[in-house]
Amino acid sequence: MKKIITKNAEETKKLGMGIADKFQGGEIICLEGDLGAGKTTFSQGLLQGLGAEGPYTSPTFVVMKEYKTKSRNIYHIDAYRINKEDVLELGWEELVADKSNVIILEWPEKIKKIIPENSLWIKFRHLDKNKREIIYRPFVNKISKKI
Ligand SMILES: Nc1ncnc2c1ncn2[C@@H]1O[C@H](COP(=O)(O)OP(=O)(O)O)[C@@H](O)[C@H]1O
Ligand SMILES: [Mg+2]
C-alpha cells in the first residue's frame, strides 16, 4: 500500500495528475472518503492529466459528468445522493463494458455490489484543515495486472 500525506489541495490535485499517464482505458477508479476529504480535488487533477477539458465541476448535484477527449470518454460519477439502481439506470453496465472509458467514482461504497473486482480503490482521510491522507495500492499500466 502506498500512503501519501498531502499538505494542501494543490498537492492532492498533482497526485491525481501524476497517475494519469498510467491509464490506458478501462480503469474504474473508486474514491472513498468523507465529505471534504479531497475526492473531487483529486478527480480534478486526474481529469486534467487525462486531457479532459475543464471546468471540472463536482458531479455531486448532476450525478454524472462526461468528458470527451481524443482517445477516450471519461465519466466522473458521484453516488452520494443516489443508489445502485440509479447508477444502473445511468447505463453503468455499458460504461463499464466499453474498455476505452475511464470511470472516476466518488462514494463507491454506496454501490459496491456493482463495481468490478479489479477496480482501483483510493482512500482519502481528513487529518486536519489542510492535511489529507491518501492510501492506495501502487499500480503500473493496466490496473488489472497489478491488483
Ligand atoms: N490536502 C488537501 N487535499 C485536498 N483538498 C484539500 C486539502 N486541504 C484542503 N483542502 C480543501 O478541502 C476541500 C476538499 O473538497 P472536495 O475535494 O470537494 O472533497 P470531497 O469530494 O471528498 O467531498 C476543498 O475545499 C479543498 O480546497
Ligand atoms: Mg466530491
Side-chain angles (χ1 to χ4, degrees):
M1 285 294 189
K2 204 165 183 172
K3 183 160 110 179
I4 292 167
I5 292 176
T6 61
K7 292 192 279 308
N8 53 56
E10 204 48 45
E11 280 186 23
T12 299
K13 228 178 258 184
K14 280 211 182 103
L15 193 65
M17 213 182 292
I19 67 166
D21 65 342
K22 306 213 166 117
F23 280 49
Q24 296 184 332
E27 288 85 3
I28 300 172
I29 176 156
C30 299
L31 309 179
E32 216 180 346
D34 289 338
L35 275 178
K39 304 180 295 296
T40 298
T41 303
F42 179 89
S43 302
Q44 289 165 341
L46 179 57
L47 283 163
Q48 193 178 339
L50 290 170
E53 207 175 298
Y56 313 114
T57 49
S58 169
T60 301
F61 292 98
V62 294
V63 179
M64 179 165 84
K65 273 197 77 179
E66 181 186 53
Y67 297 87
K68 289 179 187 277
T69 70
K70 270 189 209 128
S71 49
R72 59 172 75 94
N73 291 348
I74 307 161
Y75 297 90
H76 187 189
I77 301 173
D78 189 329
Y80 185 61
R81 300 169 156 268
I82 56 175
N83 57 36
K84 191 177 79 193
E85 285 68 37
D86 297 323
V87 175
L88 288 170
E89 251 174 56
L90 288 174
W92 172 259
E93 306 269 328
E94 290 81 356
L95 296 184
V96 170
D98 184 340
K99 297 300 180 205
S100 66
N101 291 338
V102 167
I103 300 173
I104 304 170
L105 176 63
E106 298 188 37
W107 296 97
E109 53 273 52
K110 290 200 64 192
I111 62 162
K112 210 164 187 171
K113 283 192 185 136
I114 58 169
I115 298 177
E117 241 173 58
N118 59 358
S119 302
L120 172 70
W121 287 71
I122 303 184
K123 203 174 250 179
F124 294 77
R125 206 156 69 88
H126 187 289
L127 295 182
D128 70 22
K129 188 171 176 290
N130 290 307
K131 265 194 202 153
R132 304 290 185 274
E133 182 184 71
I134 300 165
I135 302 177
Y136 64 97
R137 244 177 246 261
F139 65 99
V140 184
N141 293 326
K142 271 243 182 299
I143 286 165
S144 53
K145 278 190 212 155
K146 298 296 157 196
I147 281 186

